[in-house]
Amino acid sequence: MAKYRKKPVIVEARQLSMKKHNWLEIKDWCNGILSIDGSLQVPTTKGYIHVYDGWWVIKNLKDIFYTEEVHVCTPNEFERTYEKIARGGSDKRRSQK
């Protein structure tokens, strides 16, 4: 049986950080809502998702916030799934050693 690798996808992502005080900036970026439970509610095509301190908000290049498994990520999930690319750089993957 043939095996396939998922094609790389470029996304825009921002991490919520109490230390950086960036909640309002990210709220404006994603048209979110600050919640009384201490979370940021991120609108998706399937409703709002609650995001907490340290979590990542991920948007694809069509300005659609993810609605499936990686719409928001904990820091560990984000590190396992994504790698930073140079600003304005190519989407080519770094060579594996």
Side-chain angles (χ1 to χ4, degrees):
M1 179 176 287
K3 293 184 180 183
Y4 296 87
R5 178 181 303 152
K6 188 175 181 180
K7 291 180 182 179
V9 176
I10 296 174
V11 297
E12 186 177 350
R14 298 185 184 184
Q15 186 178 30
L16 288 174
S17 173
M18 291 294 263
K19 290 180 184 177
K20 293 182 182 177
H21 305 287
N22 66 356
W23 286 61
L24 292 177
E25 173 191 330
I26 294 176
K27 178 190 80 68
D28 292 343
W29 172 66
C30 70
N31 296 315
I33 299 170
L34 293 176
S35 182
I36 60 172
D37 71 354
S39 68
L40 171 65
Q41 295 182 41
V42 177
T44 71
T45 57
K46 295 185 179 180
Y48 283 85
I49 303 295
H50 290 261
V51 183
Y52 300 91
D53 186 45
W55 286 38
W56 289 82
V57 179
I58 303 161
K59 181 170 66 168
N60 69 20
L61 294 183
K62 294 179 183 178
D63 288 340
I64 297 172
F65 291 94
Y66 278 72
T67 57
E68 300 302 333
E69 61 186 83
V70 292
H71 51 279
V72 295
C73 285
T74 63
N76 289 339
E77 291 171 309
F78 188 83
E79 236 178 82
R80 282 194 311 266
T81 308
Y82 296 95
E83 64 182 351
K84 190 171 188 174
I85 60 173
R87 183 173 232 184
S90 101
D91 62 348
K92 292 181 182 175
R93 302 187 101 180
R94 288 183 244 163
S95 60
Q96 302 274 333
K97 291 185 178 180

